[in-house]
Amino acid sequence: MSAARTLGLDGPGAGLEWRSDLYRTACAQLNLAAETLGLDPDEHTRLIEPRRSLVVNLPVRMDSGELANFTGYRVQHTLTMGPTKGGLRYAPDVSLGHCAALAMWMTWKCALLGLPYGGAKGGVRCDPRALSADEMERVTRRYVAEMAPIIGPNEDIPAPDMGTGEREMAWFYDTYSQAAGHAVPACVTGKPVALGGIPGRRQATGLGAVFVLEAALERLGRPLADQRFAIQGFGNVGAVAAGELHARGARVIALSDVTGAIADERGLDVAAVVRWRGEHGTVAGFPEAETIDRDALLELPCDVLVPAALEHQISADNAARLRCRLVAEAANGPTTTAADEILADRGITVLPDVLTSGGGVTVSYFEWVQGHQKYNWTRAEVRGRLRSQMREALEEVVTTSEQLGVSLRTGALSLAVRRVAEAARLRAVYP
Ligand code: GLU
């Protein structure tokens, strides 16, 4: 196997269509794990490029009466582990390469959390804030109709991601079920509870990250309540994580959203910030705190930095200036490969995204099981199972990293890659 092939990008036949910064990062992480494991080159090759993807054109009637064309994507990284699973993202930078990276990360998340899925990711390139509710509905229903050949409760099960939520999942469920002629609750997760959703799915990614943090800090002998947290992102993940940390007595000293950032060394009243943001549409200007620059949040002195927003936020440009002791990645892909090396040199531990952000898909799995079995779970069952699965995954990642003498990220990737490669080996190549 040539070196170009190993990189999964820079060579003949090596997937020009996936070219994106994010996919480059995902491949670099995979290559490091493959090297650590001494993975068979054929097995490595099978894990680089996504197995299947579909790009569709979505003609959508806008409120103005004009017809607009959107591009929709779905990428399935591996079909080895079961049906594929992963979110549906509506954002201006959605592309095939972007989805390929996010789909690969979903594979590792599911393998680490012991979920019987391969990874997938999809989305529509659009600015959801510029679309009306009716336009969003038409985009979503058209997306479901176009993706019909490759989605389904036993094929590929979408869920919320950036720019989508319960509302879109309800339209997804309705469109799919109407085409099937009967209700198919397991075709999508993150549905409203009234439509077969599961209690606690919306909070699951933020809560899962806090469960991992709690266990990691216990191991380090640093009680969570004594730590100061800075959280980038105040959406579904960041706001929930902030609220859960605050409820456990920790100090959340800084928060940011797309519009601004605030800081207060004494600790922010998270519920009050949620109310303020509800009234003003931004965290900025919250009267009991100092409004700071969004980028400055990452460089504030704190114990734990939680990136819970976009990818590639911690890069070679700012990694040397971070002043935290621990980074807990609640977002997908927030740290570049170069930044990873700088943080490792500086002795800053990173709780990797494939573990820390795995709570969402774990509770999605519970919802999918509920949909198949038609047997409802309680909120307490969801929380209890989520907590134990996140803690167990952390233990396994720490043990693997120690055994292999590598970072937690490479340990997590190595464990996940080993599981998927073993399954691929057992299934063999056929036909
Ligand atoms: N979009 C979420 C993630 O990135 C959840 C995916 C799912 O629930 O399937 O992990």
Side-chain angles (χ1 to χ4, degrees):
M1 184 179 55
S2 72
R5 185 71 195 158
T6 310
L7 281 171
L9 269 179
D10 303 311
L16 275 179
E17 52 277 347
W18 314 115
R19 214 169 268 264
S20 71
D21 284 346
L22 218 51
Y23 185 62
R24 204 174 285 276
T25 302
C27 287
Q29 294 174 358
L30 167 62
N31 293 343
L32 209 52
E35 200 182 303
T36 303
L37 292 169
L39 191 68
D40 176 83
D42 287 347
E43 288 172 10
H44 185 182
T45 300
R46 284 181 73 178
L47 294 173
I48 294 174
E49 293 185 24
R51 275 298 306 283
R52 190 190 277 164
S53 50
L54 185 55
V55 183
V56 293
N57 178 259
L58 308 173
V60 172
R61 187 71 64 195
M62 305 302 278
D63 293 346
S64 64
E66 276 171 293
L67 196 70
N69 282 306
F70 294 89
T71 311
Y73 301 89
R74 189 73 184 166
V75 176
Q76 301 172 346
H77 173 250
T78 174
L79 308 179
T80 303
M81 309 302 283
T84 46
K85 186 91 191 77
L88 204 53
R89 177 174 290 207
Y90 289 1
D93 59 354
V94 170
S95 70
L96 197 57
H98 217 80
C99 291
L102 292 161
M104 190 192 291
W105 284 324
M106 285 309 302
T107 295
W108 312 142
K109 268 190 220 187
C110 294
L112 283 179
L113 272 309
L115 313 176
Y117 300 127
K121 196 71 132 204
V124 177
R125 184 158 55 238
C126 66
D127 178 2
R129 283 170 302 183
L131 297 178
S132 71
D134 287 344
E135 289 165 345
M136 286 285 274
E137 179 173 352
R138 290 193 287 270
V139 166
T140 304
R141 290 189 185 277
R142 186 72 195 217
Y143 179 90
V144 180
E146 296 291 343
M147 289 293 167
I150 63 163
I151 56 172
N154 299 308
E155 290 84 12
D156 182 4
I157 307 106
D161 198 87
M162 276 165 47
T164 65
E166 289 179 9
R167 181 182 69 165
E168 287 70 27
M169 300 308 116
W171 292 326
F172 191 108
Y173 164 66
D174 181 70
T175 312
Y176 190 91
S177 297
Q178 294 221 27
H182 56 91
V184 188
C187 74
V188 69
T189 59
K191 301 182 293 296
V193 171
L195 292 179
I198 199 162
R201 172 61 187 84
R202 200 172 50 74
Q203 295 81 8
T205 309
L207 182 58
V210 172
F211 285 148
V212 170
L213 261 167
E214 222 168 28
L217 290 165
E218 265 168 36
R219 287 187 66 99
L220 294 167
R222 285 162 38 190
L224 185 139
D226 295 348
Q227 308 299 304
R228 294 165 310 145
F229 291 83
I231 303 180
Q232 185 200 38
F234 204 56
N236 188 31
V237 181
V240 171
E244 292 285 341
L245 290 168
H246 184 73
R248 286 164 173 74
R251 259 192 293 163
V252 178
I253 60 155
L255 285 171
S256 69
D257 64 13
V258 277
T259 57
I262 50 172
D264 184 352
E265 185 55 33
R266 293 163 303 172
L268 295 156
D269 177 347
V270 176
V273 180
V274 170
R275 281 195 299 276
W276 173 268
R277 216 257 312 246
E279 286 160 20
H280 299 84
T282 172
V283 297
F286 179 65
E288 290 148 47
E290 190 191 344
T291 295
I292 58 166
D293 190 62
R294 274 174 60 217
D295 294 337
L297 175 134
L298 296 172
E299 298 172 22
L300 281 181
C302 63
D303 297 301
V304 184
L305 175 65
V306 184
L310 291 168
E311 46 277 339
H312 282 185
Q313 296 296 297
I314 303 173
S315 67
D317 294 338
N318 59 10
R321 294 196 300 274
L322 262 50
R323 284 186 284 169
C324 58
R325 295 203 283 169
L326 184 67
V327 175
E329 296 182 334
N332 290 305
T335 309
T336 67
T337 308
D340 251 343
E341 285 168 18
I342 296 169
L343 296 181
D345 286 346
R346 296 187 56 211
I348 298 176
T349 304
V350 178
L351 289 171
D353 52 357
V354 286
L355 169 69
T356 315
S357 75
V361 69
T362 302
V363 175
S364 272
Y365 166 65
F366 303 156
E367 183 178 332
W368 180 72
V369 169
Q370 171 177 284
H372 272 298
Q373 296 184 331
K374 316 285 191 291
Y375 183 83
N376 289 347
W377 290 46
T378 64
R379 187 176 292 273
E381 282 167 336
V382 169
R383 272 184 95 94
R385 276 297 289 268
L386 175 64
R387 183 171 185 275
S388 60
Q389 273 181 245
M390 300 303 293
R391 291 179 75 95
E392 195 179 318
L394 173 76
E395 283 303 312
E396 289 173 332
V397 167
V398 171
T399 306
T400 308
S401 306
E402 285 172 357
Q403 280 167 355
L404 297 172
V406 292
S407 69
L408 290 176
R409 183 180 325 278
T410 301
L413 266 281
S414 300
L415 181 58
V417 167
R418 198 158 59 197
R419 288 179 178 165
V420 178
E422 188 195 353
R425 192 161 51 241
L426 291 168
R427 289 185 67 159
V429 178
Y430 172 83

